[in-house]
Structures are given as C-alpha cells and as structure tokens.
Amino acid sequence: MTQVTIAQLYPAELGVTGDRGNVRAIERRLAARGVETTTVLVAPGERLPDALDVLVIGNGPLSALRGVHADLTARKDRLDAFVSDGGVLFSVGGSAELLGERLDAPDGESLDGIGVLPYRVARVSARRVGYIIVDTPDGPVVGFEDHASEWTLIDAASAYGTVRDGHGSFTRGEGRGEFVRVGNAFSSNVQGPVLPLNPALTDVLVDAVAERRGLTLSPARASDLDEYADAARTKILMRPTRDKGFKTIQV
Amino acid sequence: MMAAAPQARSAGPRYIVPVLAGKLARFATRLRGGGSAFPGYLTNRMAPTLLPTLADQFRYGVIFVLGSNGKTTTTHMVSEVLRAHGLKVFTNPTGANLPQGVTSALLADASLTGRIKADVAVLEIDEGYAADLADRLSPSVILSLNVQVDQLFRFFETERVADMMLDASTRASGHVVVNRDDPYLSKIDVDAMKAPVSFFGIAEDIVAASAHGLSNAADTRSGTAGTTPRDAFAEVREVSGRDIVVNVGGADARITLPARGLHYAADAAAALTVAARVLGDEFDTDRAAAGFATMAPAYGRGEVIPLRGNPAGEQVEFVMFKNAPSLQMNLDALDGTPERALIAIDDGTPDVSWLYDVDFAPLPRVDVVTGEKAHQLALALAYAGVEIGTVEPDMEKAVQLMRSFPETAAGRQVWFVNYELMMIGRRILGREEQETRR
Ligand SMILES: [Zn+2]
C-alpha cells in the first residue's frame, strides 16, 4: 500500500484556528482516493520526516511567531528545497507571514521571514473579519478571515486568487487578492479551516502529491463530508450580507 | 481612554438633573424596546463625577469580575455568597459589562440625589474596558478568572487579554484575586500590585485526572508555556459531580455547584476567595455553602427546562458554550453519554474554526445539528467521527424534531448551544423573560 507522509509543524504553537482540520481534510481526501497516509506532528527542535509529501503549518499569536522564529529560520534550506522540488506546503495565518521575506509588527518591531514565499507583510490597525469568497483557477474558495495582515507581493505572478467578497490579504490589479501559490506551496489568511470547506482545493493539493510521487488516484468515494461541505459552502456563497452582524467591539 | 479620572463627590441635589435625565432616557429606551447604553452615556456626559460618587457609597467596596469564561456565573456566585452573609448586593445585569451598561445599571438603582442603597457592588466587566472603568469606579477587589483563546477578532492576541486583566489589577485597592492554574495569570508581578494578591486553584491530582485539564491558554510569550507554582488561598480538594470541597484559608467549604464541570469548580473557588477577602472575619463557610444552595443555574448553564411544557415530563438540560475551552470543559463534565443531544451554532459565533480543536469523544452521537452554521458544525463533527442524525438549520424545526423522539429513559435531553441559540431555544420552550436579573 502506498503511503503519503503529512507533517504538521508547530501544532501546539501555531494551531489556534483549528489548523489540524486542514491536516484531517488532506488525510481524508487521500483516503477517499485510495491512498494511505501517515501524519507526524513536529514541534520546535524535532526533525521533519525525510520522505515528506505534505507540510501543513497554522496560525498563532505574534508571541508564538517570535517563539518559533529561530527554529523555523534553521529550516529555511530544507523548506526551500522542498518547495522547489514540488512538495506540497499549506500555510495559514501567522506561519504564512513568517514564510515571506519580512513581517513588520505594529510596534515598529520587525521579524525577518525565511523568504520561502515572495511577499512582505505589515500588520495593519484595522482587523479584517468576516466570510471571504476567493475566485481561483481551480474554482471559488470560501472561508473566514480574521487578521490584520497586509501582504505586498514581490512576485505578482504568485497571486493565486482574486477576492470576490471579503477583504483579502493583498492588492491584486484593481481589486484584492488572497492565496499565494509558488509551485505547490500555498499560503493565505483564510480560516474555517479552509480545506474541509473546500474539497476542490484539497484535491488540488492531493493531485499535486500524486503527480510528484507518480501515484494513480482512484475517483473520490462520496462521503457525508462532501455533502456537509457542499451545504456549508452554498450557505456562505449565498449569504447576502456576509460582512454584517459580527459584533466587533473596538478596543 | 479617559484623560483624568473624575473624583467622587458626595451625593446630593447637584445630581438630580443628570440622574433624572438618565432615568427618563432609560424609561424612553425601554418603551421603545431599545438597548440600555444611551442613558448611561447621557448621564456620564452631564455629570462625570456621578459614577465615582455612586461607587464610593458601597461599604464593602466594588468588586470586578474579569475573565475569558465564567464571568456571569462567578459574578452570580460572589453575589449569592455575600447575600448569604446578610449583605445587600448591587450587581449589573448579565452581559451589561461595558461602561455604558454598567452606568445604566447603577443609574437604575440610584435615587435622584445620587444615593445608592447597597453594601457592595459585584460587577462583571469586559476585559477591554476594565482599566478604564477601574479608574472611575475604584474597585477594592479585582478578580481575574482565566485567559483562554477567545474573541481573536476583537483582541488579536490572547496575551493581550491577559495584559488587560493584569493591568486593571494594578488598580485594585484591597485585593487582587487570580487563578493559580492559568499560565498567564499565575505569572502576575505581585510587586507591581497596590493590593495583596490571593490565588485560587484546583488540586493538581483533580486537574490531572480531567481529560483536557482546564483549557486555559498556553503562555506563548515567556518561554514557559505552563504556570508558575503558587500557593492557593482557596483550593478545590474534592469533586464529585456537582458536590465539591473547597479549602478556603484552612477551612473546608462543602459546596453544591449550580452545574457540573471543573470550570464551575474553579469559578466557585474564585468566588469563595473574593468573599473571604471582602468579608474578612465575617466570612463563614456554612453561610457560603448556603449561598451556593440557593443559587439557581444561570441561563443556559446547566439550566433545566421542560421539553414539552410539562414540568413533570421530559426535560432539556441547556449547556452553553462560546468557544473551544468552554465546549471542551462542558463535554468533559458530561455525566455519561447523552441519550439524546442537539447542538447548535448561529452567526452569533462568527468564526467556528476552533471546532476542529475540540475533542468530541464524550459525545459520540448527536441527534440534531442546527443553527445558521449547522452545516459547518456538522462538517466539523463528521471529521471528529461524531455520528449525526439530522442537520436542520432552522432552530424551530430542530426543536420539533427533538420533541418528536420517544422519551429518553433518563427523562432528559442535552442541548449544546451558543449564547444566541440558547436564548432562542429557551423562548421556543416557553421561557420568555430576558436574562437580566441574578
Ligand atoms: Zn441570584
């Protein structure tokens, strides 16, 4: 039986937004297409598996970003090699910020990113909260955004999606953009978690794994997961005032 | 934020006009069915010294209750324990924990000349406004319950919530009370406080025996994720369902909690610490236990309501949650697997990403999943391996479904609900009144 290895990096430090949901979605989607998986949780100081297929990194507070910063920096060469080799990387929120070139925090402090992905990030004062719909070459992606993170793309061609509704993380043409893709490395500020809600996006990752490993996937077996994801997506896509009704008290 | 805190002046005729204006505005907004913020705003503008003046009149001072989870329950506990000691207690309506809401509540109880007849004020206060309100109300005691991952859309970072509580605490004149079992709060800089600090907590073996501990946020800032060891003034020593034993300054208090759960036991230890510090020699463990005995569960926190209107018939136990820690603590406290369960989330909970961080093992099956976010919720439950009966986003229809099932052997269903759907669920079951009194 074929085995695909998934790693979640810093699950304790960067996992405050249900990030293990993204791991589960990849596991379940691969299983539905006939592939067995192994998932490894990797803490600071621990080794990433040598034969790595998918790396997931999640979201956390600024203090946690400072906490993992040195450890992540030490992994730069490995991650560069992994991405240029077509490995699948999926990063959301705080970790996505550190994968860029630099993160400017609000108090004038700045953190060097590890530059695996081509953007710079500035924390802004206005929080962006609400449902988001992003049009991508692989179809619409829905989720929830809750961040104060403005990205400036160094390579405009790395933009993967255009915001149809919501705020997004960067300027794209006349409008707003969300999701960066370089090879099979994806990063964004979309929570939800986003992969359970978007099986089509999960399939993009799964297909990328299969191509890199030369695996033949069977057609996806239908499950309750698809039915619930479909209904949840429909609800978000049809919601007339996606941005209204959230009690955001400014402090 | 306030430039300079207005000073208390003695009550008297100077307050008649602003108090009257506030009371009239309050009456008018009530007639319209509107909120309670405007009257407070109006009175604050007309007489900025009124608020400090009102606060100054409480013989036993003003108590602030802060925390990510459990403010409402604990405020109620402190109030009842103090009442059991014969004190007349002023407390704000639940949820009225922002400055204008607190002012409005005080205004409602004040005489026209700005006099208020209560011995002590026990106030649930929003963390974001705690320091500002402390400047105006000069609390004697500030209690901080816990710091949990919550409301990131509002506060950005959990550690900021901790800082807001710790910063407010520097303003307490009599006592600071914090949770020893909370990583951020246990690291309080005792020397930076004006007032002595008392800790409360739960005995280590009890926490260790609980599936997920206390669900307080890990400290991602100091380099030590866990707590700093502290001696507890009040410590929960035994837990058996709702019956617990709390050692308070050397004496055991035997308490019955309003609902099951280690989080409620921690709230009780907090409330007992506050009461003991406020009352000093007058504090009595039997009276404290009597206070707990007369306490009805707060809305939706272990509250039991007839499913079909018949008080002798099948009941619904409401279990309210607002985030991963509170849902986890409630699941861990379940008294066996519910025979029938409903779970509900609507847009009152903006982001539900955290559902994927909850261990649903204590809840292997849910009969009905409901609320605007029913399908997102069902998706998370399905990923967690929870068996799902029906997904019905409409709460009214969901209640009909729950009523259509054969009666459970235990005569009780359990409904897990967020705040908004708790209120709607209660109304559907025939409980019309708003949650205000305690
Ligand atoms: Zn009461």
Side-chain angles (χ1 to χ4, degrees):
Chain A
M1 202 64 187
T2 312
Q3 288 251 319
V4 160
T5 303
I6 303 166
Q8 185 183 359
L9 188 56
Y10 314 137
E13 295 80 5
L14 302 180
V16 296
T17 44
D19 300 283
R20 72 173 172 180
N22 287 329
V23 175
R24 283 186 185 165
I26 297 167
E27 289 168 351
R28 295 291 285 267
R29 201 66 189 166
L30 279 162
R33 303 190 64 183
V35 179
E36 274 193 3
T37 62
T38 307
T39 298
V40 187
L41 302 179
V42 181
E46 292 177 0
R47 256 180 90 81
L48 281 167
D50 290 330
L52 182 63
D53 296 292
V54 183
L55 181 60
V56 174
I57 328 180
N59 193 15
L62 209 44
S63 58
L65 296 185
R66 289 188 201 102
V68 302
H69 186 257
D71 186 84
L72 185 68
T73 305
R75 299 181 196 268
K76 174 181 165 54
D77 291 347
R78 173 77 201 275
L79 295 187
D80 270 335
F82 179 66
V83 171
S84 49
D85 186 45
V88 172
L89 170 65
F90 195 79
S91 160
V92 173
S95 67
E97 297 182 325
L98 282 189
L99 291 178
E101 303 275 350
R102 197 181 72 210
L103 167 59
D104 292 325
D107 47 6
E109 171 209 23
S110 98
L111 278 175
D112 285 331
I114 65 167
V116 168
L117 294 172
Y119 47 81
R120 276 190 296 272
V121 179
R123 289 291 182 93
V124 293
S125 56
R127 194 89 176 157
R128 293 142 180 190
V129 184
Y131 283 116
I132 181 169
I133 301 171
V134 184
D135 288 308
T136 78
D138 301 294
V141 172
V142 306
F144 197 90
E145 54 180 349
D146 179 4
H147 63 92
S149 179
E150 178 67 17
W151 301 6
T152 303
L153 302 194
I154 293 160
D155 174 8
S158 68
Y160 176 63
T162 301
V163 176
R164 187 199 300 180
D165 202 332
H167 306 276
S169 298
F170 51 87
T171 297
R172 186 173 193 195
E174 303 284 284
R176 298 287 295 167
E178 184 58 76
F179 283 99
V180 156
R181 177 177 187 173
V182 172
N184 292 320
F186 293 78
S187 66
S188 83
N189 277 310
V190 184
Q191 305 174 188
V194 65
L195 293 181
L197 280 171
N198 298 276
L201 179 60
T202 313
D203 269 339
V204 173
L205 307 184
V206 164
D207 289 337
V209 169
E211 197 186 310
R212 177 165 177 255
R213 290 281 304 276
L215 307 173
T216 311
L217 301 176
S218 48
R221 283 193 304 274
S223 84
D224 284 357
L225 297 176
D226 304 319
E227 190 191 317
Y228 297 141
D230 203 48
R233 287 163 52 80
T234 303
K235 177 93 181 170
I236 296 169
L237 285 162
M238 290 179 36
R239 193 183 150 90
T241 49
R242 267 173 291 274
D243 219 17
K244 304 278 155 46
F246 296 117
K247 290 174 283 181
T248 308
I249 308 163
Q250 292 299 330
V251 175
Chain B
M1 292 285 125
M2 302 279 298
Q7 297 302 303
R9 306 178 63 179
S10 60
R14 75 169 69 84
Y15 291 121
I16 291 178
V17 171
V19 170
L20 193 59
K23 281 182 181 281
L24 284 172
R26 193 178 146 84
F27 180 65
T29 49
R30 289 243 152 159
L31 283 183
R32 287 205 332 265
S36 62
F38 178 68
Y41 169 79
L42 183 69
T43 315
N44 273 345
R45 283 298 299 268
M46 293 177 75
T49 58
L50 175 62
L51 202 53
T53 300
L54 292 175
D56 222 33
Q57 298 173 47
F58 298 105
R59 210 152 47 94
Y60 288 81
V62 173
I63 299 163
F64 277 16
V65 178
L66 317 177
S68 300
N69 268 330
K71 284 195 285 281
T72 294
T73 297
T74 309
T75 301
H76 197 175
M77 287 174 174
V78 174
S79 300
E80 293 299 326
V81 171
L82 294 179
R83 280 179 187 134
H85 284 82
L87 268 61
K88 188 166 171 7
V89 176
F90 170 85
T91 184
N92 51 339
T94 64
N97 57 16
L98 303 178
Q100 308 304 352
V102 173
T103 311
S104 264
L106 282 163
L107 197 57
D109 267 37
S111 73
L112 284 183
T113 51
R115 271 180 237 281
I116 200 154
K117 284 203 193 77
D119 302 310
V120 64
V122 186
L123 304 174
E124 154 186 354
I125 301 288
D126 183 273
E127 294 74 57
Y129 297 91
D132 182 18
L133 271 171
D135 285 337
R136 288 190 270 170
L137 294 173
S138 308
S140 51
V141 178
I142 297 185
L143 160 65
S144 296
L145 290 168
N146 47 46
V147 179
Q148 298 181 340
V149 177
D150 180 37
Q151 297 201 71
L152 294 175
F153 62 91
R154 225 186 118 195
F155 295 122
F156 292 33
E157 314 228 344
T158 303
E159 65 215 52
R160 206 174 142 193
V161 180
D163 286 340
M164 289 190 284
M165 293 183 205
L166 294 170
D167 176 43
S169 297
T170 60
R171 291 155 166 86
S173 57
H175 290 278
V176 172
V177 178
V178 300
N179 188 344
R180 170 191 73 176
D181 302 323
D182 183 282
Y184 282 115
L185 296 177
S186 72
K187 287 165 198 151
I188 186 170
D189 178 1
V190 172
D191 297 331
M193 302 294 134
K194 266 202 303 243
V197 179
S198 301
F199 295 90
F200 64 92
I202 296 184
E204 218 179 318
D205 56 320
I206 298 175
V207 178
S210 151
H212 303 90
L214 292 164
S215 297
N216 296 323
D219 173 359
T220 52
R221 173 168 61 187
S222 71
T224 308
T227 56
T228 291
R230 301 283 194 178
D231 289 330
F233 170 75
E235 185 179 61
V236 177
R237 298 266 171 92
E238 285 171 45
V239 176
S240 167
R242 287 170 53 201
D243 296 321
I244 66 168
V245 178
V246 188
N247 186 278
V248 188
D252 278 350
R254 292 174 185 278
I255 302 294
T256 302
L257 297 173
R260 285 184 313 271
L262 220 44
H263 51 321
Y264 292 122
D267 294 344
L272 290 165
T273 304
V274 169
R277 289 312 194 194
V278 167
L279 293 163
D281 290 345
E282 293 171 62
F283 178 78
D284 177 85
T285 50
D286 290 339
R287 280 174 187 256
F292 277 89
T294 58
M295 194 183 151
Y299 280 23
R301 292 101 173 163
E303 190 185 27
V304 172
I305 297 178
L307 173 63
R308 300 178 184 87
N310 175 8
E314 194 172 17
Q315 306 288 309
V316 174
E317 179 180 350
F318 278 85
V319 176
M320 193 188 84
F321 61 85
K322 62 175 197 170
N323 50 26
S326 64
L327 181 53
Q328 191 70 67
M329 294 302 288
N330 284 316
L331 288 173
D332 291 353
L334 282 176
D335 189 11
T337 304
E339 282 178 75
R340 266 190 214 298
L342 168 147
I343 188 164
I345 298 188
D346 70 357
D347 279 338
T349 305
D351 179 21
V352 292
S353 299
W354 52 265
L355 283 171
Y356 290 79
D357 290 326
V358 174
D359 176 2
F360 283 96
L363 190 64
R365 184 188 150 81
V366 172
D367 296 281
V368 177
V369 180
T370 186
E372 277 166 295
K373 287 185 154 76
H375 286 103
Q376 287 191 63
L377 176 54
L379 183 60
L381 292 172
Y383 268 105
V386 178
E387 187 189 330
I388 294 169
T390 308
V391 183
E392 170 49 68
D394 185 294
M395 183 74 175
E396 296 260 2
K397 290 180 186 158
V399 172
Q400 282 173 25
L401 276 169
M402 294 306 282
R403 280 176 166 160
S404 74
F405 294 125
E407 190 163 330
T408 51
R412 183 174 290 196
Q413 303 184 346
V414 185
W415 293 10
F416 301 88
V417 284
N418 70 344
Y419 182 82
E420 288 74 7
L421 287 171
M422 181 270 290
M423 295 307 286
I424 290 168
R426 291 181 91 259
R427 202 180 314 136
I428 295 172
L429 295 186
R431 295 288 165 98
E432 286 292 343
E433 77 277 23
Q434 291 297 302
E435 181 182 33
T436 50
R437 307 260 311 270
R438 61 184 148 213

